[in-house]
């Protein structure tokens, strides 16, 4: 890096927040892309030239001015927990870590909204919101470390999505964004105008702060049911999802032998051999009332953590049940067996059993089902779907892509987690993002190399088919 650029950056944030040590550069040039054996090969050598961590909006603005002046690529980073190399600097330059912009600016329990700086951790916000009778609508299973800006910039949905949908379902009410140009501008985007920054991998604009919608606080309990058959587990999960008598926060299904990877849950007596699992977060007392329904599908209630202990690891249990949900399921599987990887697949609820049966018939134990039931497209009434993360035994990239192609051939939509290209992810917002790049990132300095359509010879791929109806 040009020494004058480095000196200017040090001048703004101080030497202690400007990092060029190779070990720090390595850590901050990676996210959790190792979930994919394909990305592991493609991204392992990518390195930032410097990591910079501003702590105020003013410092951020000055850093951006220097980068624009000296044409230095800027890759934004929250906690770096993304799985597709979203926060990996493809062309060196600055990794701009926003974790010090971490103030909760406003919590309004009446309006049920929170205004936060982009670097606020989701876990910290959940705790603060619960103190005023609210809670997050949804959060990724990495909630303890993930930042709100990183979730909006690179995430999708998670715990709570069964009730409140995904990122495209009205979570973000307002985003203050900063453009990257010689004279950087702050702009407040509201309503659907926030679309260019949702799941855009920080390619359009820098999210400085966000106003997000909260939910009323519920006393949640956690429960694990297990079933003789996978069909029984899925049918039970779908019936719980369809019950409108109570709100839900989590409904996940894991085919046996996935539960054998959940070591802490095994120690707590929450895993039965050879049984397929359904994990639930429901209002206090509801799980017991579902035992009859579970029995009718060959199931039993195996483990339970009351609302008094919810999110208090160390008291009722040493974990939260969500530690085994979403991509944490994959994490536990890979910890025990590094030969495993995953994909991301969306099933229509009414075709779920049929789709799962077709996959099991073709691939058997090579593809293990892990399903997360969610609602999407809430403005049109909400549709129940399974946002699934099947665990796959990895052999070759070709076989992995063949499996994904088979899923698509039976009308299961795949959001490929083995590409770092935003426009290789079927959830991207297409033209909206490309317009956002033109408006807020006219010099092309934000996270360059992540949009194939912007590369020489690259073609614009078709925008999101997953959430085409969300608007
Ligand atoms: P980062 O990884 O740092 O960044 C993500 C993207 O957003 C990057 O492209 C980055 O450049 C961009 N970005 C960061 N900050 C800004 C900003 N201020 N302005 C604009 N762009 C920005 N994801 C889910 O959606 N649901 C899950 O349940 C889930 N579970 C996971 C489980 C595991 C075990 C792992 C490893 C990952 C999981 N993820 C999940 C992925 C990831 O943890 C989440 O999406 C998380 O919210 C990302 O937050 P982060 O702060 O780590 O973002």
């Amino acid at each position: 890096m040009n020494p004058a650029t480095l000196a200017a950056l040090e001048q703004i944030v101080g030497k202690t927040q400007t990092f060029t040590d190779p070990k720090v550069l390595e850590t901050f040039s990676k996210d959790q892309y190792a979930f994919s054996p394909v990305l592991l090969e493609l991204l392992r050598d990518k390195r930032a030239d410097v990591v910079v961590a501003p702590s105020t909006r003013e410092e951020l603005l000055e850093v951006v001015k220097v980068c624009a002046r000296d044409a230095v690529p800027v890759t934004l980073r929250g906690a770096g927990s993304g799985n597709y190399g979203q926060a990996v600097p493809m062309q060196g330059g600055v990794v701009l870590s926003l974790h010090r912009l971490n103030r909760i600016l406003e919590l309004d329990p009446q309006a049920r909204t929170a205004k936060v700086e982009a670097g606020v951790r989701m876990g910290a916000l959940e705790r603060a919101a619960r103190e005023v009778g609210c809670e997050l609508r949804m959060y990724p299973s990495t909630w303890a470390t993930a930042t709100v800006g990183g979730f909006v910039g690179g995430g999708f949905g998670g715990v709570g999505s069964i009730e409140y949908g995904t990122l495209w379902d009205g979570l973000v009410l307002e985003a203050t964004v900063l453009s990257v140009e010689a004279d950087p501008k702050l702009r407040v985007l509201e309503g659907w105008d926030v679309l260019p920054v949702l799941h855009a991998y920080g390619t359009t604009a820098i999210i400085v702060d966000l106003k997000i919608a909260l939910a009323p606080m519920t006393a949640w309990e956690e429960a694990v049911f297990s079933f003789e058959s996978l069909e029984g587990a899925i049918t039970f999960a779908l019936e719980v999802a369809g019950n409108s008598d109570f709100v839900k926060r989590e409904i996940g299904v894991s085919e046996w032998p996935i539960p054998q990877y959940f070591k802490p849950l095994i120690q707590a007596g929450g895993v039965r051999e050879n049984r397929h699992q359904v994990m639930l977060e429901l209002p206090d007392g509801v799980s017991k009332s579902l035992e009859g329904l579970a029995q009718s599908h060959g199931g039993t209630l195996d483990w339970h953590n009351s609302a008094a202990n919810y999110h208090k690891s160390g008291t009722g249990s040493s974990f939260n049940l969500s530690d085994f949900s979403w991509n944490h399921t994959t994490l536990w599987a890979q910890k025990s067996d590094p030969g495993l990887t995953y994909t991301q697949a969306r099933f229509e609820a009414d075709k779920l059993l049929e789709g799962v049966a077709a996959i099991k018939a073709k691939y058997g134990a090579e593809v293990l089902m892990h399903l997360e039931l969610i609602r999407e497209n809430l403005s049109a009434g909400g549709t129940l779907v399974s946002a699934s993360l099947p665990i796959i035994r990895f052999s070759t990239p070709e076989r992995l892509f063949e499996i994904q192609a088979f899923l698509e051939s039976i009308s299961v939509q795949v959001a490929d987690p083995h590409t770092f290209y935003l426009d290789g992810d079927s959830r991207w917002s297409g033209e909206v993002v490309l317009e956002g790049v033109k408006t807020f990132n006219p010099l092309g300095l934000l996270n360059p190399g992540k949009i194939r359509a912007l590369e020489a010879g690259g073609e614009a791929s078709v925008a999101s088919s997953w959430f085409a109806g969300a608007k």
Side-chain angles (χ1 to χ4, degrees):
M1 166 162 283
N2 175 350
T5 309
L6 191 57
L9 295 171
E10 281 178 351
Q11 181 82 32
I12 298 162
V13 298
K15 282 199 176 194
T16 55
Q17 298 301 330
T18 313
F19 305 92
T20 51
D21 176 79
K23 283 213 178 84
V24 178
L25 294 183
E26 181 179 352
T27 304
F28 278 75
S29 298
K30 294 180 179 206
D31 58 13
Q32 295 299 317
Y33 61 76
F35 273 50
S36 162
V38 178
L39 292 180
L40 190 60
E41 290 307 312
L42 294 172
L43 299 178
R44 66 165 92 236
D45 297 332
K46 305 295 175 201
R47 286 292 179 281
D49 296 306
V50 58
V51 175
V52 179
S55 71
T56 63
R57 188 188 271 206
E58 292 69 31
E59 284 183 4
L60 174 64
L61 206 106
E62 292 306 314
V63 167
V64 169
K65 272 188 197 165
V66 168
C67 293
R69 182 194 71 193
D70 296 352
V72 177
V74 178
T75 304
L76 306 172
R77 182 181 174 97
S81 68
N83 297 109
Y84 330 121
Q86 293 109 307
V88 173
M90 303 301 286
Q91 299 175 12
V94 170
V95 161
L96 190 48
S97 181
L98 297 168
H99 69 276
R100 295 174 74 221
L101 287 168
N102 60 4
R103 281 157 282 249
I104 296 176
L105 303 171
E106 191 185 293
L107 268 175
D108 184 340
Q110 268 74 43
R112 289 203 197 104
T113 58
K115 192 160 182 188
V116 296
E117 290 184 331
V120 166
R121 289 180 193 271
M122 310 273 314
L125 184 55
E126 165 82 354
R127 276 190 296 279
R130 286 180 84 83
E131 274 171 25
V132 298
C134 298
E135 64 186 26
L136 293 178
R137 283 187 169 202
M138 76 181 100
Y139 54 84
S141 58
T142 45
W143 63 298
T145 52
T147 64
V148 184
F151 181 55
V152 171
F156 161 73
V159 178
S161 286
I162 181 64
E163 204 67 43
Y164 292 102
T166 68
L167 272 186
W168 291 266
D169 283 302
L171 174 74
V172 181
L173 303 172
E174 198 180 286
T176 305
V177 302
L178 184 65
S179 62
V180 176
E181 50 194 324
D183 177 21
K185 292 173 195 62
L186 280 165
R187 247 184 76 185
V188 179
L189 310 178
E190 290 176 283
W192 282 112
D193 288 346
V194 302
L195 214 48
V197 293
L198 299 192
H199 195 82
Y201 294 5
T203 58
T204 48
I206 302 174
I207 301 168
V208 181
D209 50 55
L210 289 154
K211 186 172 177 184
I212 63 165
L214 299 173
M217 186 172 83
T218 295
W220 298 107
E221 64 179 4
E222 303 169 311
V224 177
F225 287 82
S226 76
F227 294 80
E228 279 164 26
S229 73
L230 182 56
E231 187 181 351
I234 296 173
T235 309
F236 171 75
L238 287 170
E239 286 179 17
V240 173
N243 190 328
S244 53
D245 291 347
F246 48 83
V247 289
K248 302 118 200 144
R249 212 175 197 191
E250 168 65 16
I251 304 179
V253 180
S254 288
E255 179 187 356
W256 181 263
I258 296 173
Q260 76 175 359
Y261 302 127
F262 303 154
K263 303 287 186 230
L265 190 57
I266 294 172
Q267 277 167 14
V271 174
R272 283 178 68 189
E273 281 281 309
N274 295 316
R275 307 260 300 179
H276 310 280
Q277 251 184 14
V278 176
M279 286 189 183
L280 300 175
E281 290 191 19
L282 299 176
D284 213 12
V286 171
S287 310
K288 283 245 162 239
S289 73
L290 296 174
E291 279 187 289
L293 178 67
Q295 270 165 23
S296 71
H297 296 297
T300 49
L301 174 57
D302 297 344
W303 183 88
H304 174 263
N305 188 31
S306 79
N309 297 324
Y310 187 64
H311 283 179
K312 289 184 187 142
S313 11
T315 44
S317 62
S318 58
F319 52 82
N320 304 299
L321 204 55
S322 64
D323 296 343
F324 311 103
S325 70
W326 291 84
N327 238 345
H328 268 78
T329 311
T330 322
L331 179 72
W332 285 105
Q334 287 192 326
K335 258 191 202 176
S336 289
D337 186 342
L340 297 172
T341 185
Y342 77 121
T343 190
Q344 300 177 144
R346 172 188 176 279
F347 297 73
E348 307 284 341
D350 57 354
K351 299 197 184 98
L352 180 56
L353 283 168
E354 187 190 322
V356 167
I359 294 164
K360 295 309 303 174
K362 187 157 171 75
Y363 295 109
E366 190 179 356
V367 179
L368 298 174
M369 300 314 301
H370 164 210
L371 315 173
E372 295 286 347
L373 300 188
I374 66 163
R375 287 190 189 279
E376 62 178 33
N377 207 356
L378 296 190
S379 61
T383 312
L384 181 67
V385 300
S386 175
S388 315
L389 300 122
I391 304 280
I392 300 178
R393 175 149 304 283
F394 181 69
S395 51
T396 63
E398 292 73 25
R399 177 71 173 172
L400 186 57
F401 294 127
E402 181 207 305
I403 293 170
Q404 293 191 158
F406 174 74
L407 264 55
E408 285 176 332
S409 78
I410 58 166
S411 304
V412 174
Q413 286 172 286
V414 172
D416 183 7
H418 305 287
T419 175
F420 56 79
Y421 282 118
L422 175 61
D423 45 350
D425 181 336
S426 56
R427 299 166 297 185
W428 90 302
S429 295
E431 282 302 323
V432 176
V433 169
L434 296 178
E435 276 304 310
V437 172
K438 276 189 210 154
T439 310
F440 304 110
N441 177 22
L443 306 174
L445 292 175
L446 275 176
N447 210 350
K450 295 285 168 57
I451 302 182
R452 202 169 7 209
L454 295 179
E455 290 183 0
E459 279 178 26
S461 43
V462 181
S464 169
S465 53
W466 275 50
F467 301 101
K471 196 171 173 188

